[in-house]
Amino acid sequence: MTTPGIGAPDGAYVVGSRYGQDVPKTESGVMALVKGQTTGPWQGAQNKFRINIQNPLQQQQTELAGLQSRTQKLEGVIGYAHAYANGGISMALGSVKYPMSNQIGPVVGATMTNGSFILGSKGLWVADGQATFDFLNIGVKKISMTLKVYAPNGTEHFKRTSLFDTGEQNTRSVHMPFTVPSAGYYVELWVNAAIGRGVFGGSEWNGLSVTKISTEEN
């Protein structure tokens, strides 16, 4: 029997293990075991105990990562890409491509090439675009921004336009759901304004995003 606050006498502790003979059956010996200061065969048992604790945690983390991946696939999150154009331009007469130059975050299920997003699978996608036009004092004041989808052979597959008639600074945006029958279709942002009228560069003023909605099989 021990008294609170007073060290235990020798032999008060018994280590129930085949390694017990290697650890002094004393309070200091047990405390050394708890603090990880033991050596010899008992150290091997202690390490094994630690591994047995760590392995289930590592296994749970691996299983959680796999579950998240499967959940994303079930939810249809198998394609996305975001970018913006870094630097403004002055428009030539007519509609021109406004190429994306700066990728935002990872690109999954698509690729960014020559300022366009090439889609990596068939199905239902959604594209979102935005562009902000500078002011114009004189001349034609009509502006427009268009999201276009092209087939792999370069023919126009789908498009949606936002337009306005103003000489003031103005922001246009487009939300465009669309479907493609195979991989290889690509999405671009186009703008149209009078000669000399600029579009602001930078992530604050413009951008293009694509997101896959349907599963791979649809």
Side-chain angles (χ1 to χ4, degrees):
M1 179 175 180
T2 61
T3 302
I6 300 177
D10 290 348
Y13 296 94
V14 177
V15 180
S17 166
R18 66 187 180 90
Y19 299 104
Q21 69 273 16
D22 301 306
V23 181
K25 300 178 180 61
T26 62
E27 181 180 20
S28 60
V30 174
M31 293 307 296
L33 168 64
V34 173
K35 295 179 180 179
Q37 298 172 351
T38 57
T39 60
W42 180 259
Q43 182 65 49
Q46 187 180 29
N47 291 339
K48 182 177 180 181
F49 176 71
R50 289 174 177 170
I51 292 173
N52 288 338
I53 291 178
Q54 293 172 353
N55 283 345
L57 295 177
Q58 294 172 351
Q59 182 178 356
Q60 288 178 2
Q61 292 174 344
T62 301
E63 291 176 351
L64 178 60
L67 177 61
Q68 290 174 335
S69 178
R70 291 192 297 271
T71 300
Q72 285 187 336
K73 289 183 178 180
L74 289 173
E75 292 177 347
V77 185
I78 54 176
Y80 50 85
H82 312 277
Y84 65 93
N86 188 24
I89 58 176
S90 295
M91 299 301 104
L93 186 62
S95 184
V96 296
K97 176 184 174 181
Y98 195 33
M100 299 294 104
S101 56
N102 295 70
Q103 181 178 314
I104 302 174
V107 172
V108 176
T111 56
M112 191 171 78
T113 304
N114 297 325
S116 310
F117 284 140
I118 302 175
L119 309 180
S121 62
K122 68 177 183 179
L124 174 63
W125 290 75
V126 171
D128 288 282
Q130 175 179 308
T132 299
F133 295 78
D134 200 357
F135 70 91
L136 182 69
N137 291 326
I138 58 174
V140 178
K141 298 180 180 180
K142 186 173 290 185
I143 55 176
S144 69
M145 191 202 76
T146 303
L147 297 185
K148 297 183 179 182
V149 183
Y150 291 92
N153 63 6
T155 60
E156 192 175 279
H157 175 69
F158 197 87
K159 65 181 177 180
R160 180 167 290 178
T161 297
S162 174
L163 56 84
F164 201 58
D165 192 351
T166 180
E168 301 298 321
Q169 293 179 353
N170 188 265
T171 298
R172 300 285 89 202
S173 61
V174 170
H175 176 78
M176 180 180 71
F178 63 96
T179 60
V180 293
S182 68
Y185 283 67
Y186 55 97
V187 183
E188 296 178 346
L189 189 154
W190 286 62
V191 291
N192 191 353
I195 295 176
R197 189 170 194 176
V199 173
F200 295 151
S203 59
E204 180 181 2
W205 304 109
N206 71 77
L208 176 63
S209 298
V210 292
T211 305
K212 182 71 179 293
I213 301 299
S214 63
T215 61
E216 188 71 28
E217 291 76 18
N218 295 328

